[in-house]
Amino acid sequence: MHRGKGMKFVGDSRVPANRKPNIPKDYSEFPGKTEAFWPNFLLKEWLVGSVFLIGFLALTVAHEPPLEKIADPTDAGYIPLPDWYFLFLYQLLKYDFASGPYNVIGAFVIPGIAFGALLLAPFLDRGPARRPGKRPLATGFMLLAVAATIFLTWESVAYHDWETQRSQGEIVAEVEINTEAEGYAIYEQQGCINCHGENLEGGAGPALAESGLSPEEIADIAVNGQGNMPAGLFEGSDEELQQLAEFLSDPAAE
């Protein structure tokens, strides 16, 4: 017998003599359970993506973005509001235990714990089961996170002053203002600028540019208040009140 004829040399008994190539089976061997990647699968993906893209474009055309006036860093009365996906964090920073001197807790500690729990989730729950009832730890954390996010988002939206939010962000036409007028100096001295803006564009209070009010009506509001503006804020003399009222009725007058 010649060397090698009818003999098999195997160096490791765990290696089969007749090894099959590691080639995946063709999808045709699984009728009804799979499909070709090209073009069947990709075509479905493109169709679904196109529907969502067209819907998103139609939504942006139908509902214009809520543009506001140019940001004014000197406007201390402006109430900021983040985008909807950050509202739960925005609400968290309103609570006493997470705001003021404890701002670090609300801004870093609590979000850090939540993010750390998310990173540790694969190591804390390593069971093979996939049913939520058999994975109480992962299911509990998920339900707690979802419930907290929904509750904080709802709290932020429910108790926000939307009317003030809309009024303080309104884009108003710029008007000429005579900043050298005596009425403007009184406007600054009396603190009106803090609520109504440097250019009468409004802020915490309504815009005063082109209000259409007469000097008498403006003087009455300055003394007796109106809406959210309380009475007694004006502390000047009658002459200063008259100058202020005349200026606000016609800010561009010399």
Side-chain angles (χ1 to χ4, degrees), residues 36-85:
F37 180 76
W38 171 266
N40 301 24
F41 181 78
L42 280 184
L43 181 60
K44 291 180 179 179
E45 291 286 312
W46 290 339
L47 288 175
V48 173
S50 300
V51 170
F52 275 94
L53 178 60
I54 294 173
F56 181 75
L57 292 176
L59 183 63
T60 56
V61 172
H63 298 276
E64 296 183 1
L67 298 179
E68 296 186 358
K69 63 184 180 182
I70 298 176
D72 182 9
T74 63
D75 185 5
Y78 183 83
I79 304 174
L81 187 69
D83 290 320
W84 62 269
Y85 43 83

Side-chain angles (χ1 to χ4, degrees), residues 88-231:
F88 68 99
L89 287 176
Y90 173 71
Q91 179 64 24
L92 179 64
L93 295 175
K94 294 181 181 180
Y95 296 121
D96 293 337
F97 64 85
S99 61
Y102 308 107
N103 201 29
V104 175
I105 296 177
F108 297 103
V109 176
I110 296 179
I113 293 175
F115 187 73
L118 182 63
L119 291 178
L120 294 176
F123 304 98
L124 297 176
D125 186 7
R126 305 181 64 180
R130 303 190 65 175
R131 294 179 179 272
K134 294 184 178 181
R135 304 181 64 179
L137 193 61
T139 303
F141 276 130
M142 180 193 69
L143 292 178
L144 179 62
V146 171
T149 302
I150 293 175
F151 173 75
L152 291 174
T153 302
W154 177 82
E155 284 272 305
S156 177
V157 172
Y159 296 101
H160 184 71
D161 191 350
W162 292 102
E163 185 176 351
T164 303
Q165 176 78 21
R166 286 189 292 268
S167 63
Q168 70 181 2
E170 288 180 353
I171 300 176
V172 296
E174 294 185 2
V175 296
E176 277 189 42
I177 298 175
N178 182 14
T179 57
E180 303 297 328
E182 294 182 0
Y184 187 81
I186 299 172
Y187 176 79
E188 291 181 314
Q189 293 171 2
Q190 295 297 322
C192 308
I193 193 172
N194 297 329
C195 295
H196 298 284
E198 183 179 3
N199 297 313
L200 313 183
E201 72 277 11
L208 300 180
E210 298 182 347
S211 63
L213 299 176
S214 64
E216 291 75 17
E217 292 173 324
I218 295 175
D220 180 68
I221 295 174
V223 174
N224 301 317
Q226 186 182 63
N228 295 328
M229 177 180 172

Side-chain angles (χ1 to χ4, degrees), residues 21-37:
N22 189 19
I23 300 175
K25 295 183 178 181
D26 189 78
Y27 71 92
S28 60
E29 299 184 26
F30 303 92
K33 296 183 179 180
T34 183
E35 61 181 339
F37 180 76

